Amino acid sequence: MNNTDLVFQSYGRCCRNDEFFVDFYNFFMSSSDAIRNRFENTDMGAQRHLLRNGVMQIILVARGMSDRKLKDLGESHNRHNHNIQPEWYDLWEDSLLKTVRTHDPEYTPALREAWREVLKPGIDLIRGAY
Ligand code: HEM
């Protein structure tokens, strides 16, 4: 199995439990006050659903699907819109990997590396649109 298959299946196991997204935002918002402040007026229930889809988009793009939706996310997160600082994406990735470690019963260090590799192009695209 290649990395995108491993990650696709791992994400499937993670998504079985909605707490995955609760834990992700808890980790992510604890990583910096600046990040917590960004979600002060956000409906977190809706945000968790949006993120569920956003992570799936990143995985699908790594599997060869069109990156049109990620380009839209790049635009919404850029300096003119949500104004998400490029350095915050490392905290986003760390929080996601920590959440996968907590939730995927089949987690291994090799699976972590597969996740990192699969996330990279999508994160680079969104961050790069700053
Ligand atoms: C909104 C995904 C990174 C902060 C959203 C939305 C999605 C999303 C799907 C909703 C649609 C939209 O507004 O365009 C992602 C993905 C990321 C990422 C896949 C990583 C590659 C970040 C980072 C931050 C952030 C690093 C830093 C704080 C926000 C904020 C909103 C948002 C503030 C708007 C919330 C609101 O409507 O109140 N993100 N995001 N995102 N994201 Fe991200």
Side-chain angles (χ1 to χ4, degrees), residues 25 28 34-36 38-43 47 49-55 58 70 72-73 75-77 82 84-93 119 122-124 126-127:
Y25 278 111
F28 189 40
I35 287 176
R36 185 182 296 278
R38 284 318 177 97
F39 294 107
E40 214 166 43
N41 300 312
T42 301
D43 169 351
Q47 186 65 23
H49 280 285
L50 291 166
L51 184 76
R52 185 187 182 110
N53 192 256
V55 172
I58 292 183
L70 290 191
D72 290 345
L73 282 181
E75 167 139 32
S76 75
H77 286 64
H82 297 319
I84 302 306
Q85 302 299 307
E87 61 269 23
W88 291 342
Y89 288 88
D90 288 344
L91 300 173
W92 187 94
E93 185 185 20
L119 291 171
I123 293 177
D124 285 350
I126 298 172
R127 178 173 43 204

Coordinates of all heavy atoms in Angstrom, one line a residue, residues 25 28 34-36 38-43 47 49-55 58 70 72-73 75-77 82 84-93 119 122-124 126-127, ligand 1:
Y25 N -9.2 20.7 17.6 CA -9.3 22.1 17.9 C -8.8 22.4 19.3 O -8.3 23.5 19.6 CB -10.7 22.7 17.6 CG -10.8 23.0 16.1 CD1 -11.7 22.2 15.3 CD2 -10.1 24.0 15.6 CE1 -11.8 22.5 14.0 CE2 -10.2 24.3 14.2 CZ -11.0 23.5 13.4 OH -11.1 23.8 12.1
F28 N -5.1 22.5 18.9 CA -4.7 23.6 18.0 C -4.9 24.9 18.8 O -3.9 25.8 18.8 CB -5.5 23.6 16.7 CG -5.1 24.6 15.7 CD1 -3.8 24.8 15.4 CD2 -6.0 25.3 14.9 CE1 -3.3 25.7 14.4 CE2 -5.6 26.1 13.9 CZ -4.3 26.4 13.7
A34 N -2.8 33.5 20.0 CA -3.2 34.1 18.7 C -4.1 33.2 18.0 O -5.1 33.7 17.4 CB -1.9 34.4 17.9
I35 N -3.9 31.9 18.0 CA -4.8 31.0 17.3 C -6.1 30.9 18.0 O -7.2 31.0 17.4 CB -4.1 29.7 17.1 CG1 -3.0 29.8 16.1 CG2 -5.1 28.6 16.7 CD1 -2.1 28.7 15.8
R36 N -6.1 30.8 19.3 CA -7.4 30.7 20.1 C -8.2 32.0 19.7 O -9.4 31.9 19.4 CB -7.1 30.7 21.6 CG -8.4 30.5 22.4 CD -8.1 30.5 23.9 NE -7.2 29.4 24.3 CZ -7.7 28.1 24.5 NH1 -9.0 27.9 24.4 NH2 -6.9 27.2 24.9
R38 N -8.4 33.7 17.1 CA -8.9 33.6 15.7 C -10.3 32.9 15.7 O -11.1 33.1 14.7 CB -8.0 32.9 14.7 CG -6.8 33.7 14.3 CD -7.4 35.1 14.1 NE -6.3 36.0 13.7 CZ -6.0 36.4 12.5 NH1 -6.6 35.8 11.5 NH2 -5.0 37.2 12.3
F39 N -10.5 32.1 16.7 CA -11.8 31.3 16.7 C -12.8 31.8 17.7 O -13.8 31.1 18.0 CB -11.5 29.8 16.9 CG -10.7 29.2 15.7 CD1 -9.4 28.9 15.9 CD2 -11.3 29.0 14.5 CE1 -8.7 28.3 14.8 CE2 -10.6 28.4 13.4 CZ -9.3 28.1 13.6
E40 N -12.5 33.0 18.2 CA -13.4 33.6 19.3 C -14.8 33.6 18.9 O -15.7 33.3 19.7 CB -12.9 35.0 19.6 CG -13.0 35.3 21.1 CD -12.2 36.6 21.4 OE1 -12.2 37.5 20.6 OE2 -11.5 36.6 22.4
N41 N -15.1 34.0 17.6 CA -16.5 34.2 17.2 C -16.9 33.1 16.2 O -17.9 33.3 15.5 CB -16.6 35.6 16.5 CG -16.3 36.7 17.5 OD1 -16.8 36.7 18.7 ND2 -15.4 37.6 17.1
T42 N -16.3 32.0 16.3 CA -16.6 30.9 15.3 C -17.5 29.9 15.9 O -17.4 29.6 17.1 CB -15.3 30.2 14.9 OG1 -14.4 31.2 14.4 CG2 -15.5 29.1 13.9
D43 N -18.5 29.5 15.1 CA -19.4 28.4 15.5 C -18.5 27.1 15.3 O -18.3 26.6 14.2 CB -20.6 28.4 14.6 CG -21.4 27.1 14.7 OD1 -21.0 26.2 15.4 OD2 -22.5 27.1 14.1
Q47 N -17.5 24.6 12.3 CA -16.1 24.6 11.9 C -15.5 23.2 11.8 O -14.7 22.8 11.0 CB -15.3 25.5 12.9 CG -13.8 25.7 12.5 CD -13.6 26.5 11.2 OE1 -14.5 27.2 10.8 NE2 -12.5 26.3 10.6
H49 N -17.1 20.5 11.1 CA -17.5 19.8 9.9 C -16.7 20.3 8.7 O -16.4 19.5 7.8 CB -19.0 20.0 9.7 CG -19.8 19.1 10.5 ND1 -20.0 17.8 10.2 CD2 -20.5 19.3 11.6 CE1 -20.8 17.2 11.1 NE2 -21.1 18.1 12.0
L50 N -16.5 21.6 8.7 CA -15.7 22.2 7.5 C -14.3 21.6 7.5 O -13.8 21.3 6.4 CB -15.7 23.7 7.6 CG -17.0 24.4 7.4 CD1 -17.0 25.8 7.9 CD2 -17.4 24.3 5.9
L51 N -13.7 21.4 8.7 CA -12.4 20.9 8.7 C -12.3 19.4 8.3 O -11.4 19.0 7.6 CB -11.8 21.0 10.1 CG -10.3 20.6 10.0 CD1 -9.4 21.6 9.4 CD2 -9.8 20.2 11.4
R52 N -13.4 18.7 8.7 CA -13.4 17.3 8.3 C -13.3 17.2 6.8 O -12.5 16.4 6.2 CB -14.8 16.7 8.7 CG -15.0 15.2 8.5 CD -16.4 14.9 8.9 NE -16.6 13.5 8.7 CZ -16.8 12.6 9.7 NH1 -16.9 13.0 10.9 NH2 -17.0 11.3 9.5
N53 N -14.0 18.1 6.1 CA -14.0 18.1 4.6 C -12.6 18.6 4.1 O -12.1 18.1 3.1 CB -15.2 18.9 4.1 CG -15.4 18.8 2.7 OD1 -15.0 19.6 1.9 ND2 -15.9 17.6 2.3
G54 N -12.1 19.6 4.8 CA -10.8 20.2 4.3 C -9.7 19.2 4.3 O -8.9 19.2 3.4
V55 N -9.6 18.4 5.4 CA -8.5 17.4 5.5 C -8.7 16.4 4.4 O -7.8 16.0 3.7 CB -8.5 16.8 6.9 CG1 -7.5 15.6 6.9 CG2 -8.2 17.8 8.0
I58 N -7.4 17.6 1.2 CA -5.9 17.5 1.1 C -5.5 16.1 0.7 O -4.6 15.9 -0.1 CB -5.2 17.9 2.4 CG1 -5.5 19.4 2.7 CG2 -3.8 17.6 2.5 CD1 -4.8 19.9 4.0
L70 N -8.7 23.4 -2.8 CA -7.6 23.8 -2.0 C -7.2 25.3 -2.4 O -6.8 26.1 -1.5 CB -6.4 22.9 -2.1 CG -6.6 21.5 -1.4 CD1 -5.2 20.8 -1.4 CD2 -7.2 21.6 -0.1
D72 N -9.2 27.5 -3.4 CA -10.2 28.4 -2.7 C -9.8 28.6 -1.2 O -10.0 29.7 -0.7 CB -11.6 27.8 -2.8 CG -12.2 27.8 -4.2 OD1 -11.6 28.5 -5.1 OD2 -13.1 27.1 -4.5
L73 N -9.4 27.5 -0.6 CA -9.0 27.6 0.8 C -7.7 28.5 0.9 O -7.6 29.3 1.9 CB -8.7 26.3 1.4 CG -9.9 25.4 1.8 CD1 -9.4 24.1 2.5 CD2 -10.7 26.2 2.9
E75 N -7.1 31.0 -0.9 CA -7.6 32.4 -1.0 C -8.3 32.9 0.2 O -8.1 34.0 0.7 CB -8.6 32.5 -2.2 CG -9.4 33.8 -2.2 CD -9.5 34.4 -3.6 OE1 -9.5 33.7 -4.6 OE2 -9.6 35.7 -3.6
S76 N -9.1 32.0 0.9 CA -9.9 32.4 2.0 C -8.9 32.6 3.2 O -9.2 33.4 4.1 CB -11.0 31.4 2.4 OG -10.5 30.2 3.0
H77 N -7.8 31.9 3.2 CA -6.9 32.0 4.4 C -5.8 33.1 4.1 O -5.0 33.3 5.0 CB -6.2 30.7 4.7 CG -7.1 29.7 5.3 ND1 -8.3 29.3 4.7 CD2 -7.1 29.2 6.6 CE1 -8.9 28.4 5.6 NE2 -8.3 28.4 6.7
H82 N -8.9 35.6 5.8 CA -8.7 35.2 7.2 C -7.3 35.7 7.8 O -7.1 35.8 9.0 CB -8.8 33.7 7.4 CG -10.1 33.1 7.1 ND1 -11.3 33.7 7.4 CD2 -10.5 31.9 6.5 CE1 -12.3 32.9 7.0 NE2 -11.8 31.8 6.4
I84 N -4.2 34.3 7.8 CA -3.6 33.3 8.6 C -2.1 33.3 8.3 O -1.6 33.0 7.2 CB -4.2 31.9 8.2 CG1 -5.7 31.9 8.5 CG2 -3.5 30.8 9.0 CD1 -6.1 32.3 9.8
Q85 N -1.3 33.6 9.4 CA 0.1 33.7 9.3 C 0.8 32.4 8.8 O 0.4 31.4 9.4 CB 0.7 34.1 10.7 CG 0.2 35.4 11.3 CD 0.5 36.6 10.4 OE1 1.6 36.8 10.0 NE2 -0.6 37.3 10.1
P86 N 1.7 32.5 7.9 CA 2.3 31.2 7.4 C 2.9 30.3 8.5 O 2.8 29.1 8.4 CB 3.4 31.7 6.4 CG 2.9 33.1 5.9 CD 2.1 33.7 7.1
E87 N 3.4 30.9 9.5 CA 4.1 30.1 10.6 C 3.0 29.3 11.4 O 3.4 28.3 12.1 CB 5.0 30.9 11.5 CG 4.3 32.0 12.3 CD 4.3 33.3 11.5 OE1 4.4 33.4 10.3 OE2 4.2 34.4 12.2
W88 N 1.8 29.7 11.3 CA 0.8 28.9 12.1 C 0.4 27.6 11.5 O -0.1 26.7 12.2 CB -0.5 29.8 12.2 CG -0.4 31.0 13.0 CD1 0.6 31.2 14.0 CD2 -1.3 32.1 13.0 NE1 0.4 32.4 14.5 CE2 -0.8 33.0 14.0 CE3 -2.4 32.5 12.3 CZ2 -1.4 34.2 14.3 CZ3 -3.0 33.7 12.6 CH2 -2.5 34.5 13.6
Y89 N 0.8 27.3 10.2 CA 0.5 26.0 9.6 C 1.3 24.9 10.3 O 0.9 23.8 10.2 CB 0.7 26.1 8.1 CG -0.3 26.9 7.4 CD1 -0.2 28.3 7.3 CD2 -1.5 26.3 7.0 CE1 -1.2 29.1 6.7 CE2 -2.5 27.1 6.4 CZ -2.4 28.4 6.3 OH -3.4 29.2 5.7
D90 N 2.5 25.2 10.8 CA 3.3 24.2 11.5 C 2.5 23.7 12.7 O 2.5 22.5 13.1 CB 4.7 24.6 11.9 CG 5.6 24.8 10.7 OD1 5.2 24.2 9.6 OD2 6.6 25.5 10.8
L91 N 1.9 24.7 13.4 CA 1.1 24.3 14.6 C -0.2 23.5 14.2 O -0.6 22.6 14.9 CB 0.7 25.6 15.4 CG 1.8 26.5 15.9 CD1 1.3 27.8 16.4 CD2 2.7 25.7 16.9
W92 N -0.7 23.9 13.1 CA -1.9 23.2 12.6 C -1.5 21.7 12.3 O -2.2 20.8 12.7 CB -2.4 23.8 11.3 CG -3.6 23.3 10.7 CD1 -4.9 23.8 10.9 CD2 -3.8 22.2 9.8 NE1 -5.8 23.1 10.3 CE2 -5.2 22.1 9.6 CE3 -2.9 21.3 9.2 CZ2 -5.7 21.1 8.7 CZ3 -3.4 20.3 8.4 CH2 -4.8 20.2 8.1
E93 N -0.4 21.5 11.6 CA 0.1 20.2 11.3 C 0.4 19.4 12.5 O 0.0 18.2 12.7 CB 1.3 20.2 10.3 CG 1.7 18.8 9.9 CD 3.0 18.8 9.1 OE1 3.8 19.8 9.1 OE2 3.2 17.8 8.3
L119 N 0.2 15.3 3.7 CA -0.3 16.6 4.0 C 0.5 17.7 3.3 O 0.0 18.8 3.0 CB -0.2 16.9 5.5 CG -1.2 16.1 6.4 CD1 -0.9 16.3 7.9 CD2 -2.7 16.5 6.1
G122 N -0.6 19.9 0.1 CA -1.9 20.6 0.4 C -1.6 21.8 1.3 O -2.1 22.9 1.1
I123 N -0.8 21.6 2.4 CA -0.5 22.7 3.3 C 0.3 23.7 2.6 O 0.1 24.9 2.7 CB 0.3 22.1 4.5 CG1 -0.6 21.2 5.4 CG2 0.8 23.3 5.4 CD1 0.0 20.6 6.6
D124 N 1.3 23.3 1.8 CA 2.2 24.2 1.0 C 1.3 25.1 0.1 O 1.6 26.3 0.0 CB 3.2 23.5 0.2 CG 4.4 22.9 1.1 OD1 4.4 23.3 2.3 OD2 5.2 22.1 0.5
I126 N -2.0 25.9 0.4 CA -2.8 26.9 1.2 C -1.9 28.0 1.8 O -2.2 29.2 1.6 CB -3.6 26.2 2.2 CG1 -4.6 25.2 1.6 CG2 -4.4 27.2 3.1 CD1 -5.3 24.3 2.5
R127 N -0.8 27.6 2.4 CA 0.1 28.5 3.0 C 0.7 29.4 2.0 O 0.9 30.6 2.2 CB 1.2 27.8 3.8 CG 2.2 28.7 4.5 CD 3.2 27.9 5.3 NE 3.6 26.6 4.7 CZ 4.1 25.6 5.4 NH1 4.2 25.6 6.7 NH2 4.5 24.5 4.7
Ligands
HEM1 C1 -11.8 28.5 8.1 C2 -9.5 24.5 6.5 C3 -5.4 26.2 8.4 C4 -7.9 29.5 10.8 C5 -11.5 27.3 7.4 C6 -12.5 26.5 6.6 C7 -11.9 25.4 6.2 C8 -10.5 25.5 6.8 C9 -12.4 24.3 5.4 C10 -13.9 27.0 6.3 C11 -14.0 27.5 4.9 C12 -13.3 28.9 4.7 O1 -13.5 29.8 5.6 O2 -12.6 29.0 3.7 C13 -8.2 24.6 6.9 C14 -7.2 23.7 6.4 C15 -6.0 24.2 6.9 C16 -6.3 25.4 7.7 C17 -7.3 22.5 5.6 C18 -4.6 23.7 6.8 C19 -3.9 23.4 5.7 C20 -5.7 27.2 9.3 C21 -4.8 27.8 10.2 C22 -5.5 28.7 10.9 C23 -6.9 28.7 10.4 C24 -3.3 27.5 10.3 C25 -4.9 29.6 12.0 C26 -5.6 30.1 13.0 C27 -9.2 29.6 10.2 C28 -10.2 30.6 10.5 C29 -11.3 30.3 9.7 C30 -11.0 29.1 9.0 C31 -10.0 31.7 11.5 C32 -12.6 31.0 9.7 C33 -13.5 30.7 10.9 C34 -14.8 31.4 11.0 O3 -15.6 31.3 10.0 O4 -15.0 32.0 12.0 N1 -10.4 26.6 7.5 N2 -7.7 25.6 7.6 N3 -7.0 27.7 9.4 N4 -9.7 28.7 9.3 FE1 -8.7 27.2 8.4

